[in-house]
Amino acid sequence: MSLAIVSGASAGIGLATAKLFLAEGFEVINFSRRPCPDSQVRNFSVDLSRPDLVHAIEAILRDILEETVRSSVHLVHNAARLENDSATRTDDETLQAVMQVNVFAPNTLNRCVIPYMGKGSSVVYVGSTLSEKAVPNSFSYVTSKHAQIGMMRSLCQDLVGTGIHTAAVCPGFTDTEMLRSHVPDDVLSSIAAMNTFGRLIAPEEIAKTIYWTTQNPVINGCVIHANLGQIER
């Protein structure tokens, strides 16, 4: 059986992705603070914002991945932290906390999982429309998402000859718990109007894009913007 490891599979895009992999016959593992509500997913409670707990992942994954030889392993870096902050006022502790979840934790997972990956495996980063541009008051998030693109492209080069591919899927405004916790309800309609379809993206749409990405190594090293045609103003 093939394996999918999804961080932050407790809600939103991560949950939709875990469910899709299950439907396709994969074993699925979730790393997050909260469990995935789908009982078929194997949950490990890990606070990715804490470096000391992230390192415990190494032992967990070693035991799991040494259990059985799998035909392929797909690692989806979905967990993310978002702060509303400014480049002129953000303290180092806030930036470090965001980078821990969005950059350092994926690095830990890569280091633990890639040695067990065979040909046909993949590493997919769930980026953002802000992975290649910026808006005001999203300093640490923008910085971390730009860093993920650099990680993905560097990983592509360092995996030459392994048969493992990597990519970044960058969603536009998606109807998730994270979005709704940072955007007031009375602003959601204007946010939805910022793409050519005039609606929020469903998490399941991003999940399908992520799954397609894992199955198509031709896009190795690529950034895919999944945003319904975002309107630039």
Side-chain angles (χ1 to χ4, degrees), residues 118-141:
K119 291 182 178 180
S121 297
S122 69
V123 180
V124 178
Y125 295 80
V126 180
S128 165
T129 189
L130 298 179
S131 291
E132 294 189 316
K133 69 175 188 177
V135 295
N137 301 315
S138 298
F139 165 66
S140 57
Y141 187 74

Side-chain angles (χ1 to χ4, degrees), residues 43-82:
N43 288 293
F44 291 93
S45 179
V46 176
D47 185 350
L48 296 174
S49 69
R50 292 182 55 183
D52 56 325
L53 292 183
V54 167
H55 290 303
I57 291 174
E58 293 182 346
I60 294 171
L61 282 172
R62 188 182 307 115
D63 291 341
I64 293 170
L65 295 170
E66 288 180 353
E67 286 175 2
T68 310
V69 176
R70 294 171 174 84
S71 56
S72 62
V73 178
H74 301 287
L75 175 57
V76 180
H77 296 303
N78 169 73
R81 179 166 177 165
L82 170 64

Side-chain angles (χ1 to χ4, degrees), residues 191-203:
I191 292 293
M194 293 177 66
N195 65 62
T196 60
F197 280 69
R199 65 172 176 83
L200 295 176
I201 300 163

Side-chain angles (χ1 to χ4, degrees), residues 22-230:
L22 286 171
E24 295 293 336
F26 283 74
E27 176 187 358
V28 180
I29 291 172
N30 167 47
F31 284 106
S32 65
R33 288 175 298 174
R34 298 177 298 171
C36 176
D38 193 311
S39 61
Q40 297 179 82
V41 172
R42 191 171 178 181
N43 288 293
F44 291 93
S45 179
V46 176
D47 185 350
L48 296 174
S49 69
R50 292 182 55 183
D52 56 325
L53 292 183
V54 167
H55 290 303
I57 291 174
E58 293 182 346
I60 294 171
L61 282 172
R62 188 182 307 115
D63 291 341
I64 293 170
L65 295 170
E66 288 180 353
E67 286 175 2
T68 310
V69 176
R70 294 171 174 84
S71 56
S72 62
V73 178
H74 301 287
L75 175 57
V76 180
H77 296 303
N78 169 73
R81 179 166 177 165
L82 170 64
E83 299 287 344
N84 297 122
D85 53 16
S86 166
T88 61
R89 296 188 300 274
T90 300
D91 58 64
D92 292 347
E93 290 74 18
T94 298
L95 177 59
Q96 185 172 7
V98 172
M99 295 293 283
Q100 171 59 46
V101 175
N102 297 359
V103 178
F104 300 148
N107 183 62
T108 300
L109 286 167
N110 286 347
R111 189 174 64 249
C112 296
V113 176
I114 289 174
Y116 296 94
M117 286 183 165
K119 291 182 178 180
S121 297
S122 69
V123 180
V124 178
Y125 295 80
V126 180
S128 165
T129 189
L130 298 179
S131 291
E132 294 189 316
K133 69 175 188 177
V135 295
N137 301 315
S138 298
F139 165 66
S140 57
Y141 187 74
V142 167
T143 300
S144 67
K145 289 300 177 178
H146 276 62
Q148 284 186 348
I149 298 300
M151 289 180 70
M152 181 276 293
R153 288 173 171 155
S154 294
L155 187 58
C156 171
Q157 298 302 311
D158 288 335
L159 291 175
V160 169
T162 64
I164 304 166
H165 70 280
T166 184
V169 174
C170 297
F173 294 107
T174 306
D175 193 0
T176 63
E177 183 179 299
M178 176 182 282
L179 178 69
R180 289 182 176 272
S181 67
H182 285 82
V183 176
D185 289 342
D186 59 350
V187 180
L188 280 176
S189 59
S190 61
I191 292 293
M194 293 177 66
N195 65 62
T196 60
F197 280 69
R199 65 172 176 83
L200 295 176
I201 300 163
E204 291 76 13
E205 293 178 288
I206 304 302
K208 290 178 182 178
T209 307
I210 292 168
Y211 181 77
W212 177 84
T213 298
T214 66
Q215 304 303 301
N216 287 277
V218 71
I219 57 144
N220 193 18
C222 294
V223 177
I224 299 174
H225 286 281
N227 57 28
L228 287 175
Q230 189 158 315

